[in-house]
């Protein structure tokens, strides 16, 4: 995992500065010093929608989706092939997002019936959807087949029969990919390559030829090719290249029996959460992967297949910021001096990544600029848990205080999608900003929403068992 909390960042020259690699493209401060995203200022957003608030810059999502499609397509064309890019919906899925990415020419990768429902509700072309999951239910498989999804990704031997039966029942020929475990595991600066990777996804590469043949025995299945996903928050092409080389050796064996049209190398492209994160530009990564694919195909005497990718975080992550209101500020003595705990009105229920992965984030004052010197802060949430940290270590102007708005950068991916109702905190709304306009794309929850699902409450007379 990149951007882990192990390092305290150096004090910034200016704690008001908005590093362009971390904040949504175009984010700036207005004349009053307020943070402006998508042409809308943070104070106006907080007044209209309250805090905590997820803000997503629509133009940035659309631009990134287009940029990724173009980068992979250009790299693939250079080696005589084509590329398909699927947006990995697990990063953040709503019907608005599906429309933005599909209008940019991307397909969508879903991995549950719920994600499928959102993509279909948005009007996505089912033939441009991929359906993943290591334990799809029989019902989910049937729904995906009936909906006409472009490909189901078979994740285990057992699923071959399940998908074949569902397709036969529906009178369809279902396109499938076979997810393999390439033995490559990558994150940020390095990748690990072993004979086997000890995790739940995919089938061992050593069984791919046999299982590919099994898929081909079914008239109701059409084998598209191999799939693998090697990790998350990866900053360069090396791990993808290693994995592609391993896969192409097996792909070539399968291709000798009958043409294998495609190779899907998954997602995992990294973003900058802090200034310390330096992901290579996607064009360079795409070129590095394409070169490795071309060389491996030549070595194995096989045509270059169509390439497919599934970026999630890298499409939506940099487009999002979360706004919070500061409630309390507390200096706490530490072994090295003082740490300022800045407590905000959200926390691990809207961003669990810090608690779950030790992820690092960047925080800035959003409602004003300040000339006060920088102080080392830890942004904590409001939950009853000491691990409820949003930003483990960053710097804010020393005069940060109650009522200030703060913004946390790069929260567009895996924050809303991993949100919870811990401590019965309603999940915040998501607001899209564009050209100075803001609109809700996911309504926030209310306490009434939470109570509505409590079966102990009788709508007519209040809480069950409570005397009227
Ligand atoms: N394709 C497959 C098959 C995947 O399993 C994933 C992510 C992706 C694509 C998209 O990966 P991305 O480009 O977004 O890195 N909750 C974690 C990340 C889990 C990723 C799971 N699979 C986090 O917040 O860092």
């Amino acid at each position: 995992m990149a951007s882990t909390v192990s390092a305290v960042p150096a004090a910034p020259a200016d704690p008001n500065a908005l590093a362009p690699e971390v904040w949504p493209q175009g984010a700036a401060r207005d004349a009053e010093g307020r943070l402006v995203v998508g042409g809308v200022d943070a104070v106006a957003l907080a007044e209209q929608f309250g805090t905590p608030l997820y803000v997503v810059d629509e133009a940035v999502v659309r631009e990134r989706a287009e940029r990724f499609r173009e980068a992979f397509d250009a790299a693939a064309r250079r080696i005589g092939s084509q590329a398909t890019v699927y947006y990995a919906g697990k990063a953040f899925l709503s019907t608005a997002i599906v429309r933005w990415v599909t209008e940019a020419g991307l397909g969508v990768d879903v991995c549950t019936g719920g994600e499928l429902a959102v993509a279909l509700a948005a009007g996505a072309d089912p033939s441009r959807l991929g359906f993943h999951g290591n334990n799809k239910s029989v019902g989910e498989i049937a729904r995906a087949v009936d909906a006409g999804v472009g490909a189901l990704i078979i994740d285990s031997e057992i699923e071959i029969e399940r998908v074949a039966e569902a397709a036969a029942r529906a009178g369809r020929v279902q396109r499938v990919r076979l997810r393999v475990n390439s033995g490559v595991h990558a994150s940020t600066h390095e990748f690990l390559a072993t004979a086997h990777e000890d995790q739940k996804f995919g089938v061992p590469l050593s069984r791919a030829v046999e299982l590919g043949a099994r898929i081909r025995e079914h008239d109701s299945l059409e084998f598209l090719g191999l799939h693998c996903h090697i990790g998350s928050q990866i900053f360069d092409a090396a791990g993808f290249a290693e994995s592609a080389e391993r896969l192409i050796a097996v792909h070539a064996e399968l291709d000798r029996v009958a043409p294998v049209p495609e190779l899907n190398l998954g997602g995992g492209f990294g973003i900058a959460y802090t200034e310390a994160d330096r992901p290579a530009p996607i064009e360079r990564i795409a070129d590095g992967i394409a070169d490795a694919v071309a060389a491996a195909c030549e070595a194995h005497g096989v045509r270059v297949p169509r390439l497919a990718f599934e970026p999630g975080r890298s499409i939506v992550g940099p487009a999002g910021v979360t706004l919070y209101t500061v409630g309390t500020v507390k200096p706490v003595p530490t072994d090295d001096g003082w740490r300022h705990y800045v407590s905000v009105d959200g926390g691990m229920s809207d961003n669990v990544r810090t608690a779950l992965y030790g992820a690092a984030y960047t925080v800035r004052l959003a409602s004003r600029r300040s000339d006060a010197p920088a102080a080392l802060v830890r942004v904590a949430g409001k939950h009853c848990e000491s691990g409820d940290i949003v930003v483990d270590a960053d710097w804010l102007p020393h005069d940060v205080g109650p009522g200030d708005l703060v913004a946390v950068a790069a929260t567009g991916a895996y924050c809303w999608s991993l949100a919870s109702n811990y401590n019965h905190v309603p999940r915040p709304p998501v607001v899209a900003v564009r050209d100075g306009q803001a609109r809700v794309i996911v309504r926030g929850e209310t306490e009434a929403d939470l109570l509505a699902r409590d079966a102990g409450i009788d709508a007519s007379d209040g809480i069950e068992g409570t005397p009227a």
Side-chain angles (χ1 to χ4, degrees):
M1 181 58 54
S3 311
T4 49
V5 296
S6 51
V8 172
D14 175 7
N16 300 290
L18 303 169
E21 54 275 52
V22 172
W23 293 88
Q25 202 186 346
R29 289 189 187 277
D30 65 12
E32 283 88 65
R34 297 167 173 175
L35 171 70
V36 178
V37 181
V40 189
D41 84 71
V43 175
L45 285 168
E47 278 170 5
Q48 190 176 352
F49 303 105
T51 57
L53 184 66
Y54 295 113
V55 181
V56 56
D57 187 324
E58 176 177 344
V60 173
V61 175
R62 288 179 182 272
E63 275 161 27
R64 293 187 72 83
E66 272 167 31
R67 178 175 166 195
F68 273 60
R69 182 181 49 70
E70 279 164 15
F72 285 117
D73 210 44
R77 268 188 276 115
R78 200 171 45 73
I79 59 166
S81 182
Q82 292 170 312
T84 311
V85 178
Y86 296 84
Y87 166 64
K90 66 208 79 182
F92 172 39
L93 203 64
S94 77
T95 54
I97 302 276
V98 171
R99 291 190 191 106
W100 303 345
V101 298
T102 54
E103 282 168 21
L106 271 53
V108 182
D109 139 21
V110 297
C111 66
T112 61
E115 288 187 0
L116 176 64
V118 177
L120 295 176
D125 174 355
S127 72
R128 308 209 57 202
L129 303 181
F131 195 99
H132 269 281
N134 68 302
N135 187 21
K136 308 165 194 76
S137 70
V138 171
E140 283 175 318
I141 292 172
R143 273 172 76 189
V145 169
D146 291 344
V149 302
L152 259 114
I153 294 80
I154 290 182
D155 196 271
S156 61
E157 187 173 354
I158 293 170
E159 275 193 349
I160 299 176
E161 312 300 325
R162 286 186 189 162
V163 179
E165 270 171 35
R169 254 199 316 273
R172 287 177 179 273
V173 175
Q174 178 62 55
R175 293 185 161 166
V176 297
R177 306 186 175 106
L178 177 63
R179 180 163 179 176
V180 295
N181 187 337
S182 67
V184 175
H185 190 89
S187 78
T188 312
H189 307 295
E190 64 214 29
F191 71 86
L192 254 175
T194 56
H196 308 284
E197 218 211 329
D198 192 359
Q199 48 100 337
K200 69 175 182 172
F201 292 109
V203 300
L205 198 51
S206 56
R207 295 205 60 208
V209 170
E210 173 206 345
L211 296 179
R214 285 265 300 285
I215 290 171
R216 283 170 160 167
E217 285 168 10
H218 291 276
D219 294 337
S220 61
L221 300 180
E222 180 184 333
F223 181 58
L224 281 180
L226 301 176
H227 173 285
C228 82
H229 171 77
I230 59 168
S232 270
Q233 226 357 36
I234 304 166
F235 283 3
D236 61 30
F240 294 103
E242 172 71 27
S243 184
E245 283 164 20
R246 291 176 172 213
L247 257 64
I248 284 165
V250 174
H251 169 100
E253 269 193 68
L254 286 158
D255 193 73
R256 273 192 278 280
V257 179
V260 181
E262 191 193 89
L263 180 70
N264 188 321
L265 294 171
F269 310 98
I271 65 168
Y273 286 99
T274 73
E275 285 180 77
D277 291 333
R278 295 283 155 94
I282 195 61
E283 292 76 11
R284 197 187 310 155
I285 295 180
D287 276 342
I289 296 172
D291 287 345
V293 167
C297 287
E298 199 182 332
H300 291 279
V302 68
R303 273 170 305 115
V304 176
R306 193 171 64 237
L307 299 179
F309 298 92
E310 299 168 340
R313 181 195 321 266
S314 48
I315 304 295
V316 290
V321 303
T322 308
L323 296 179
Y324 301 97
T325 303
V326 174
T328 63
V329 177
K330 198 190 280 186
V332 172
T334 68
D335 291 345
D336 311 320
W338 292 88
R339 188 195 291 281
H340 289 78
Y341 275 78
V342 175
S343 289
V344 296
D345 50 355
M348 65 193 297
S349 56
D350 61 75
N351 183 353
V352 76
R353 296 192 68 261
T354 307
L356 194 55
Y357 311 119
Y361 280 93
T362 300
V363 64
R364 289 290 175 265
L365 264 183
S367 44
R368 63 188 174 97
R369 182 201 313 275
S370 166
D371 292 330
L376 181 63
V377 300
R378 176 168 286 168
V379 180
K382 63 178 288 175
H383 294 279
C384 255
E385 181 155 336
S386 55
D388 172 29
I389 304 298
V390 180
V391 183
D392 184 68
D394 201 358
W395 299 78
L396 283 174
H398 200 278
D399 61 357
V400 59
D404 275 331
L405 278 181
V406 293
V408 175
T411 58
Y414 301 112
C415 288
W416 184 86
S417 62
L418 287 171
S420 76
N421 289 127
Y422 182 38
N423 296 142
H424 281 259
V425 170
R427 277 171 287 204
V430 185
V431 164
V433 289
R434 184 186 182 177
D435 298 332
Q437 304 291 322
R439 67 184 169 108
V440 172
I441 59 167
V442 183
R443 178 175 70 75
E445 284 171 330
T446 61
E447 286 177 6
D449 287 327
L450 305 186
L451 289 171
R453 293 169 52 237
D454 188 322
I457 297 174
D458 181 330
S460 60
D461 66 2
I463 297 174
E464 189 184 62
T466 311

